[in-house]
Every structure is written in C-alpha cells, then in structure tokens.
C-alpha cells in the first residue's frame, strides 16, 4: 500500500469499482468511483463548500478543474457550461479513468480528463476551480499554483477551497506575496471549517504594464 496516496500517479491496490449517488449540477446522478482516489464514497465536504459558493461558470472557453479526483467539479462545469471545454487535470491516472467513465455515463462530451503534462501550453482558462491537494506538501502545492494560476485569462477568476486547519490563511498570505501585481486575492466564503479563496487575474493598465517591464 506504499503507493496509495490519492496523489499517486498509479495506485498499487487492485481496482475495486463502486457505484454512488451524488448531486451534480442540481440533479442526483448515479456515478462510479473506486479505491485509490480521493473521497471515493461521496463528494467531499470541501468540494461541496466550493460548489455551494461559486458563481455559475463562464458559458464558453476553457475551464479547469485542477486536482479533479473522480470528477464532481469537472462534471458540474461541463453540465452547467455545455459549450465550454472542461479540462479535468489530475496526476492520478485511476481518477482520470473514472472522470472519463462518469462523463460517458452522463453523456457529457466536453470534458478532457488528462495528466498535467497533456494540457497544451497555449491553453488559457476562463475559470479555474480547485480543491487543491494540500497533503502533497507546501513546496509541491506552491509549485502547482505557480504553474497554473498564471494560465488564468485576464479578468478571470480561480476559486480554491482549503480547510482552515490545513493552512488556508497561510496559503492566502503566500499567494498575495507571490503574485502581488498580477492577482487580487479575497476570501469569498467560510463554511464548515473551509475557506473559499478567490484569485482574480487582473488586467494591468498600460502604464503599470510598462513599469512592470522596466523592473524586470
């Protein structure tokens, strides 16, 4: 069981599929999950908090579920924005297989469930939703956010849900110090011990952009 973390690329345990019922985009649906992934029995509390506190996603463009697990956020994005392309990204290949299976089960054609390296470099996102993998460790978590937040389109938002006792407030401070000019960060909601953090990729004025270029 040494490779059984939900953020492992290939869980070593034998695959054991299970059927669950969960509410996705306001409708109870039959879905498939398995062992070796994050929260296989239900939609976890953090994801429920995020889904209850985000606005409707943009109607088109590319949308990102970062750390998708078996897919509750990606499925919601795809059902609520059927003309968008939803990228469900995870390092766990078993989780990606489950997203594909659930998309097929629900007849959802607009989800790409892929490894991080398989998202084309020129893709930018109209919105990012994420229940980030806090337990990978601070350094790896920071690397994930430094990789993906800059791929948010200007004047677009990322929504992150983080448990307060797992460092939501310190993560908020780190993001503000790491991206002081490119983003604004606000606490959008607090519920059941979770914070929903909003990161807005702000468009710099022409003057501010010139000053930024001078300083680089």
């Amino acid at each position: 069981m040494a490779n059984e973390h939900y953020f492992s690329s290939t869980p070593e345990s034998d695959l054991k599929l299970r059927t669950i019922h969960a509410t996705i985009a306001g409708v109870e649906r039959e879905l498939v999950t398995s062992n070796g992934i994050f929260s296989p029995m239900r939609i976890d509390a953090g994801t429920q908090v995020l889904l209850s506190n985000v606005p409707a996603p943009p109607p088109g463009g590319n949308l990102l579920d970062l750390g998708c697990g078996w897919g509750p956020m990606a499925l919601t994005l795809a059902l609520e924005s059927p003309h968008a392309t939803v990228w469900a990204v995870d390092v766990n290949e078993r989780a990606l297989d489950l997203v594909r299976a659930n998309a097929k089960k629900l007849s959802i054609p607009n989800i790409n469930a892929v490894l991080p390296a398989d998202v084309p470099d020129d893709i930018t996102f109209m919105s990012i939703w994420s229940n980030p993998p806090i337990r990978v460790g601070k350094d790896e978590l920071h690397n994930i956010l430094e990789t993906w937040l800059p791929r948010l389109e200007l004047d677009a938002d990322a929504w992150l849900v983080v448990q307060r006792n797992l460092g939501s407030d310190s993560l908020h401070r780190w993001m503000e110090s790491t991206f002081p000019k490119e983003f604004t960060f606000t606490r959008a909601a607090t519920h059941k011990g979770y914070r929903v953090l909003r990161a807005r990729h702000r468009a710099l004025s022409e003057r501010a952009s010139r000053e930024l270029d001078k300083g680089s």
Side-chain angles (χ1 to χ4, degrees):
M1 302 292 285
N3 203 23
E4 272 302 290
H5 296 295
Y6 65 83
F7 45 83
S8 300
S9 59
T10 52
E12 293 177 349
S13 59
D14 292 338
L15 176 66
K16 297 177 182 176
L17 295 175
R18 57 170 57 94
T19 298
I20 66 167
H21 290 84
T23 299
I24 302 287
V27 177
E28 184 174 300
R29 306 174 195 270
E30 185 178 279
L31 302 157
V32 60
T33 71
S34 78
N35 58 316
I37 63 165
F38 177 63
S39 193
M41 300 298 293
R42 62 187 65 84
I43 299 178
D44 66 283
T47 295
Q48 289 181 5
V49 169
L50 186 143
L51 291 173
S52 297
N53 287 281
V54 290
N62 292 292
L63 310 177
L64 173 63
D65 175 3
L66 181 59
C68 60
W70 56 264
M73 288 189 194
L75 297 169
T76 300
L77 286 166
L79 286 164
E80 293 188 352
S81 297
H83 300 295
T85 298
V86 176
W87 296 84
V89 171
D90 206 294
V91 298
N92 187 319
E93 296 190 40
R94 184 175 294 180
L96 296 175
D97 286 341
L98 292 167
V99 176
R100 297 180 193 114
N102 284 318
K104 182 176 181 180
K105 193 176 183 70
L106 300 182
S107 300
I108 297 173
N110 57 322
I111 292 180
N112 293 326
V114 296
L115 296 168
D118 294 332
V119 180
D121 292 339
D122 60 348
I123 294 290
T124 56
F125 302 100
M126 294 291 293
S127 188
I128 297 173
W129 291 6
S130 183
N131 184 352
I134 297 296
R135 297 185 187 277
V136 297
K138 195 173 285 188
D139 290 344
E140 181 59 27
L141 176 63
H142 291 174
N143 181 58
I144 291 169
L145 294 177
E146 287 180 291
T147 298
W148 293 98
L149 283 182
R151 297 182 67 170
L152 194 65
E153 294 196 10
L154 295 178
D155 289 328
D157 298 306
W159 303 87
L160 314 176
V161 64
V162 182
Q163 200 167 354
R164 183 181 176 188
N165 65 9
L166 291 181
S168 63
D169 294 343
S170 62
L171 181 64
H172 190 166
R173 291 190 296 271
W174 173 84
M175 290 191 296
E176 287 182 323
S177 65
T178 303
F179 305 100
K181 293 184 173 130
E182 303 98 322
F183 289 85
T184 57
F185 297 96
T186 55
R187 185 190 302 165
T190 299
H191 189 59
K192 293 185 178 178
Y194 289 88
R195 310 277 206 216
V196 177
L197 305 178
R198 177 188 183 188
R200 185 163 186 80
H201 198 178
R202 56 187 175 192
L204 297 174
S205 67
E206 187 177 343
R207 178 180 173 184
S209 199
R210 285 198 306 269
E211 289 175 355
L212 192 59
D213 288 340
K214 280 187 206 174
S216 60

